[in-house]
Amino acid sequence: MIICIFKVKTNKVGNTNINQDDVKDIFKMKEYEAEVEVTVTSNKNENKYKIKQQYKKNSISTQEILEPESLKGIKITTENNKITLENTDLNLTKIFEGYNGIEQNDMDLHKFIKDFENNISKSNIYQNDEEIIIETISENNKYVKNKTLYINRKTGKPSTMEIKDINKKITVYIVYNKVEMK
């Protein structure tokens, strides 16, 4: 069992009374299932996807592409240091093992939480009238440097996540359409 202790910082914007109860569901979740819309922006183009994400603590992380139609049925499953790439429409499977760090998926909520816990001194939590905003960094990748998770204050569930590069340009923007956390 991992105990999460974190320092809460507040800004002088909107409501500043943030305590651990306001964000406990995110930090204590053992598993989640989400349907997300993902926009990935590179130097040359922008791609949009609808993805179903599933995660079980200390177990398996799965992402299945729902849209675009040309990629529908592609499923990426991560377990320990192994990634399984499946095309369910073509009944094809490829397994990748032993690639250090390849199992890290920066679009997963649990990866966001790990980054927060590993970089508490460089992380920040604040809120406005509608959202709790959690900011953290990722140490290992200049294309995925800064992450911001927006949590709806009424529902306690994530609404969006921004992933920015070292120049603070948004490279990945995620909208959480449905989220179930346990």
Side-chain angles (χ1 to χ4, degrees):
M1 180 174 171
I2 297 174
I3 298 173
C4 177
I5 301 172
F6 54 91
K7 178 171 72 173
V8 175
K9 298 180 190 176
T10 59
N11 288 354
K12 301 279 183 205
V13 178
N15 259 334
T16 58
N17 296 326
I18 300 173
N19 62 46
Q20 290 182 0
D21 287 341
D22 292 333
V23 291
K24 71 177 180 189
D25 290 342
I26 293 292
F27 288 97
K28 289 185 178 183
M29 86 175 154
K30 292 184 175 26
E31 55 187 75
Y32 78 90
E33 187 170 312
E35 286 188 22
V36 299
E37 292 179 28
V38 178
T39 303
V40 179
T41 306
S42 68
N43 291 337
K44 297 181 181 179
N45 59 18
E46 182 177 280
N47 296 298
K48 295 185 182 221
Y49 307 91
K50 285 191 179 177
I51 298 173
K52 180 179 180 181
Q53 296 179 333
Q54 295 178 309
Y55 174 74
K56 293 184 179 179
K57 189 96 171 168
N58 298 325
S59 184
I60 299 173
S61 172
T62 303
Q63 297 212 39
E64 182 177 355
I65 299 175
L66 305 174
E67 290 182 15
E69 192 65 34
S70 62
L71 298 175
K72 186 175 183 176
I74 292 179
K75 191 175 187 179
I76 302 164
T77 304
T78 305
E79 184 174 16
N80 300 321
N81 197 23
K82 178 175 85 172
I83 291 181
T84 305
L85 179 61
E86 297 176 73
N87 184 325
T88 56
D89 289 347
L90 299 176
N91 199 24
L92 298 173
T93 302
K94 177 72 177 171
I95 298 173
F96 301 89
E97 288 187 82
Y99 292 92
N100 201 15
I102 195 170
E103 74 284 354
Q104 298 296 324
N105 183 346
D106 285 290
M107 294 190 308
D108 280 341
L109 285 172
H110 75 279
K111 175 67 166 97
F112 180 93
I113 292 164
K114 277 185 184 178
D115 287 341
F116 183 93
E117 291 171 344
N118 291 335
N119 297 294
I120 289 176
S121 65
K122 298 177 184 176
S123 297
N124 194 14
I125 299 177
Y126 56 97
Q127 66 184 341
N128 59 33
D129 291 337
E130 297 166 4
E131 299 173 308
I132 297 170
I133 299 126
I134 305 173
E135 298 174 330
T136 192
I137 63 168
S138 181
E139 295 286 341
N140 302 330
N141 188 335
K142 69 180 184 179
Y143 299 107
V144 182
K145 191 68 174 170
N146 303 287
K147 297 180 181 181
T148 306
L149 181 65
Y150 297 85
I151 300 171
N152 182 302
R153 287 184 63 202
K154 290 179 184 163
T155 65
K157 295 182 179 181
S159 56
T160 58
M161 182 191 304
E162 296 173 345
I163 301 175
K164 298 177 183 174
D165 65 14
I166 197 164
N167 298 315
K168 301 205 183 229
K169 178 184 170 210
I170 295 176
T171 56
V172 179
Y173 185 77
I174 302 170
V175 176
Y176 293 90
N177 292 325
K178 293 181 186 175
V179 181
E180 295 300 323
M181 298 182 298
K182 297 178 186 173

